[in-house]
């Protein structure tokens, strides 16, 4: 490619030709170029390298890991865990267990330090894995400039062209803005700003009581804030949650101190002279206005695909009505050499879903089979109690006209939950009425993340392998464990009655 010190970086009307300056970096050739280093992107890049592909991963941010590791899953779980420990020590929980502590104080700065340390270690870990697996990391905003070409523009404006046999778009998602409300990440914050508040708000209003809303609302409520979540839908927990589980979940959160205004919409937010924020709300169906006041307003109405300005128009790829990239069952776009996975394609916006797609997508490039059952992708809300589910909800089965049975078992009747003095919640199992095949598993429990996730793993495995509820019920489960509640719920679904309830 001819060098020039006076020509612009890109010629008018020449989309297939990249003009480089002396400052631009040397071109790279690759078998697979992954755009984005979030859970889907970095996992796909590592797997591609392990399969023998010469692999490049382009990331626009200074650190690897995408939203999940930097401002999403990882920092939020650090705060959820630490705020819960503070809540136990500061409240009545420790005292009820015979542990008397005086002089408990919150050191928010130290708590944020621990969160940041976890993020730094994990993002640095990806860089190490790239080096270990010989993945080339290119820092810059990746844009498709040809069917087999990606151009990465660094923060200083320099460009690097990667010529690639295959391109995998894994750019994830971004916060959905709320019309008319400008986020400053100080007192009007997105989920990103809510992870780094400098002090505990006296009053926090959360727009949205989905997964992100209840998780971050829980963090600040435990640390002392008065939290009110305003939700357009008539339930908490977002889309996909079983309604019976949602109602019980809401009841427990309200007992903890969270307040909810469901079936309610936010129409405006204005900042007062004293720094307070007035939030105007009304019933979703229309009605009388009400003004709520807060110190901090958290906007978390969901996320949208990060699919703009990627150069898709250069190769004729059009987005669907929700801004997603259409793909076939091998994750190929209409351009066979360009693939897409994760939040930019259809399906739940979950890190583990993106990881699975990344692995099977590059396996497909290598000639392997491509298969994923989205019904077996689990979901978790990491509050206390946690909510976890996989498979169908009762509402979905009714809508689809599938005959089903229900088996339930409360943690109040589980010996391990009793010994831990942590008995909120239950396990709910849905099975096919005629074949006994497990169709869905729903867990609401406070016992511990590890225990609830073990039950979820077992349920996911059962669904993936097409197990019946009797299969699970006849597997010996160790005593005393939380997983016994899962067995008992399967007994109830298959035989009509549990043993211990």
């Amino acid at each position: 490619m001819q060098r020039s010190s006076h020509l612009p970086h890109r010629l008018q009307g020449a989309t297939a030709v990249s003009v480089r300056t002396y400052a631009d970096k040397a071109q790279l050739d690759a078998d697979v170029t992954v755009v984005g280093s979030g859970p889907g992107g970095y996992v796909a890049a590592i797997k591609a390298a392990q399969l023998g592909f010469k692999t490049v991963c382009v990331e626009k941010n200074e650190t690897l890991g995408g939203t999940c590791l930097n401002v999403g899953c990882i920092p939020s779980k650090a705060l959820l865990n630490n705020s819960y420990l503070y809540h136990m020590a500061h409240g009545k929980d420790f005292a009820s267990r015979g542990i008397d502590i005086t002089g408990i104080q919150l050191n928010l700065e130290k708590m944020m330090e621990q969160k940041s340390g976890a993020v730094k270690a994990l993002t640095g870990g990806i860089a190490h894995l790239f080096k270990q697996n010989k993945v080339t990391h290119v820092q810059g905003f990746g844009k498709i400039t040809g069917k087999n070409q990606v151009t990465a523009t660094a923060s200083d404006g320099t460009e690097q062209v990667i010529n690639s046999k295959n391109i995998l778009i894994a750019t994830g998602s971004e916060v959905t803005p709320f019309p008319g409300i400008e986020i400053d990440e100080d007192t009007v914050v997105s989920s990103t700003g809510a992870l780094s508040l400098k002090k505990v708000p006296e009053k926090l209003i959360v727009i949205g009581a989905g997964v992100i809303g209840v998780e971050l609302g829980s963090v600040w409520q435990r640390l002392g804030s008065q939290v009110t979540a305003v939700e357009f839908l008539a339930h908490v927990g977002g889309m996909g949650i079983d309604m019976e589980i949602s109602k019980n979940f809401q009841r427990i959160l309200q007992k903890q101190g969270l307040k909810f205004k469901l079936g309610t919409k936010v129409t405006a937010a204005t900042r007062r002279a004293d720094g307070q924020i007035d939030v105007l709300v009304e019933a979703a169906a229309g009605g009388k206005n009400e003004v709520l006041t807060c110190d901090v307003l958290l906007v978390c109405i969901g996320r949208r695909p990060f699919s703009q300005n990627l150069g898709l128009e250069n190769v004729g790829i059009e987005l669907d009505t929700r801004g997603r990239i259409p793909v076939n069952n091998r994750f190929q776009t209409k351009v066979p050499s360009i693939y897409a996975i994760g939040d930019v394609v259809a399906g739940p916006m979950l890190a583990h879903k993106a990881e699975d797609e990344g692995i099977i997508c590059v396996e497909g490039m290598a000639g392997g089979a491509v298969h994923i059952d989205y019904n077996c992708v689990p979901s978790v809300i990491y509050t206390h109690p946690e909510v976890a589910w996989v498979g169908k909800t009762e509402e979905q089965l009714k809508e689809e006209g599938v005959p089903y049975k229900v088996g339930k078992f409360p943690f109040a009747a589980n010996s391990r939950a009793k010994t831990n003095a942590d008995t909120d919640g239950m396990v709910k199992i849905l099975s096919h009425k005629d074949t006994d095949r497990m169709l869905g598993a729903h867990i609401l429990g406070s016992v511990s993340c590890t225990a609830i996730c073990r039950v979820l793993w077992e349920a996911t495995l059962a669904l993936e392998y097409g197990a019946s509820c009797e299969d699970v019920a006849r597997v010996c489960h160790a005593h005393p464990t939380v997983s016994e509640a899962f067995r008992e719920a399967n007994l109830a679904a298959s035989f009509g009655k549990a043993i211990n309830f």
Side-chain angles (χ1 to χ4, degrees):
M1 192 70 68
Q2 184 179 0
R3 293 179 183 270
S4 171
S5 60
H6 62 274
L7 289 176
H9 284 187
R10 192 164 289 109
L11 294 175
Q12 291 291 326
T15 57
V17 177
S18 178
V19 178
R20 297 178 56 230
T21 70
Y22 285 113
D24 291 341
K25 300 170 185 175
Q27 291 193 19
L28 295 174
D29 292 320
D31 296 317
V32 177
T33 297
V34 181
V35 183
S37 72
Y42 92 77
V43 167
I46 290 171
K47 186 63 178 181
Q50 291 173 348
L51 290 171
F53 291 122
K54 186 177 181 182
T55 307
V56 173
C57 185
V58 181
E59 171 56 51
K60 62 181 171 56
N61 295 321
E62 294 295 328
T63 54
L64 299 168
T67 295
C68 176
L69 269 74
N70 289 278
V71 290
C73 319
I74 298 306
S76 65
K77 302 312 164 282
L79 292 182
L80 279 160
N81 182 61
N82 292 337
S83 64
Y84 178 63
L85 294 175
Y86 172 78
H87 173 74
M88 290 181 73
H90 189 264
K92 299 177 181 178
D93 194 281
F94 274 13
S96 70
R97 300 170 190 272
I99 305 170
D100 294 325
I101 303 176
T102 57
I104 293 290
Q105 287 186 324
L106 172 65
N107 186 336
L108 186 59
E109 185 178 351
K110 192 69 176 177
M111 188 176 286
M112 292 296 176
E113 271 182 32
Q114 191 276 332
K115 173 207 71 174
S116 299
V119 170
K120 184 177 180 181
L122 289 167
T123 55
I126 298 174
H128 173 73
L129 288 169
F130 274 9
K131 186 176 180 180
Q132 182 177 302
N133 288 279
K134 296 181 174 58
V135 175
T136 301
H137 169 211
V138 173
Q139 197 280 317
F141 189 99
K143 194 166 186 176
I144 295 170
T145 47
K147 294 180 179 181
N148 296 97
Q149 189 181 83
V150 173
T151 300
T153 304
S155 55
D156 62 3
T158 59
E159 294 184 348
Q160 186 165 21
V161 173
I162 304 111
N163 298 305
S164 188
K165 294 176 183 175
N166 299 289
I167 298 168
L168 175 54
I169 302 169
T171 48
S173 58
E174 60 184 349
V175 171
T176 301
F178 194 102
I181 298 179
E182 186 177 345
I183 291 174
D184 59 15
E185 300 297 15
D186 182 21
T187 55
V188 181
V189 299
S190 67
S191 56
T192 300
L195 294 169
S196 301
L197 295 178
K198 299 294 187 296
K199 63 179 182 178
V200 178
E202 183 180 341
K203 292 182 179 180
L204 172 69
I205 291 177
V206 183
I207 305 179
V211 175
I212 300 171
V214 293
E215 285 187 355
L216 293 177
S218 289
V219 167
W220 294 107
Q221 188 273 329
R222 294 168 188 167
L223 297 180
S225 184
Q226 299 175 41
V227 178
T228 301
V230 182
E231 172 57 54
F232 185 83
L233 300 175
H235 68 272
V236 305
M239 305 299 290
I241 192 172
D242 184 272
M243 287 301 104
E244 182 180 13
I245 296 293
S246 177
K247 288 175 184 176
N248 281 278
F249 181 42
Q250 179 187 341
R251 176 181 55 79
I252 296 168
L253 292 180
Q254 287 177 164
K255 190 168 66 174
Q256 293 175 3
L258 270 81
K259 296 178 181 178
F260 295 98
K261 296 188 77 66
L262 304 179
T264 304
K265 62 183 178 183
V266 172
T267 58
T270 56
R271 195 184 308 277
R272 302 192 323 206
D274 61 1
Q276 296 281 295
I277 300 167
D278 286 337
V279 182
L280 190 64
V281 303
E282 66 177 41
K288 186 178 178 182
N289 290 337
E290 181 184 358
V291 176
L292 306 176
T293 303
C294 62
D295 309 285
V296 174
L297 176 62
L298 167 56
V299 180
C300 48
I301 57 172
R303 299 184 65 82
R304 64 184 183 183
F306 190 94
S307 54
Q308 299 295 325
N309 302 316
L310 298 179
L312 298 175
E313 67 283 357
N314 294 334
V315 289
I317 297 175
E318 297 178 352
L319 304 175
D320 70 10
T321 55
R322 298 176 64 179
R324 301 174 302 194
I325 301 172
V327 292
N328 63 17
N329 59 7
R330 300 184 68 83
F331 301 101
Q332 283 176 306
T333 66
K334 64 187 293 185
V335 179
S337 59
I338 300 177
Y339 299 74
I341 61 162
D343 290 1
V344 291
V345 302
M349 288 185 170
L350 297 169
H352 44 281
K353 174 256 198 187
E355 289 179 8
D356 276 17
E357 288 179 340
I359 289 172
I360 62 176
C361 177
V362 296
E363 285 179 338
M365 293 179 193
V370 177
H371 169 74
I372 183 170
D373 184 352
Y374 290 108
N375 190 54
C376 295
V377 174
S379 296
V380 185
I381 304 175
Y382 295 90
T383 47
H384 194 92
E386 289 192 344
V387 185
W389 70 88
V390 64
K392 301 289 187 180
T393 65
E394 194 167 352
E395 290 71 33
Q396 287 173 323
L397 293 176
K398 287 178 180 177
E399 185 180 342
E400 294 169 10
V402 177
Y404 67 93
K405 296 181 293 182
V406 181
K408 304 176 193 175
F409 193 81
F411 282 117
N414 174 260
S415 56
R416 187 61 183 271
K418 275 287 189 186
T419 59
N420 289 356
D422 213 351
T423 57
D424 281 334
M426 64 173 175
V427 178
K428 177 179 179 179
I429 299 297
L430 303 169
S431 67
H432 197 286
K433 187 176 181 180
D434 301 325
T435 66
D436 194 40
R437 180 170 181 163
M438 189 187 297
L439 301 176
H442 306 269
I443 307 120
L444 169 65
S446 300
V447 187
S448 77
C449 168
T450 304
I452 296 304
C453 285
R454 282 176 184 156
V455 175
L456 181 63
W457 298 334
E458 188 176 356
T460 304
L461 194 63
L463 256 72
E464 190 70 64
Y465 281 88
S468 68
C469 289
E470 182 180 357
D471 289 333
V472 176
R474 293 194 181 279
V475 172
C476 186
H477 287 66
H479 174 80
T481 60
V482 174
S483 60
E484 289 178 287
F486 181 63
R487 181 191 194 184
E488 294 269 15
N490 277 277
L491 273 167
S494 187
F495 297 100
K497 195 76 174 71
I499 297 296
N500 287 290
F501 182 69

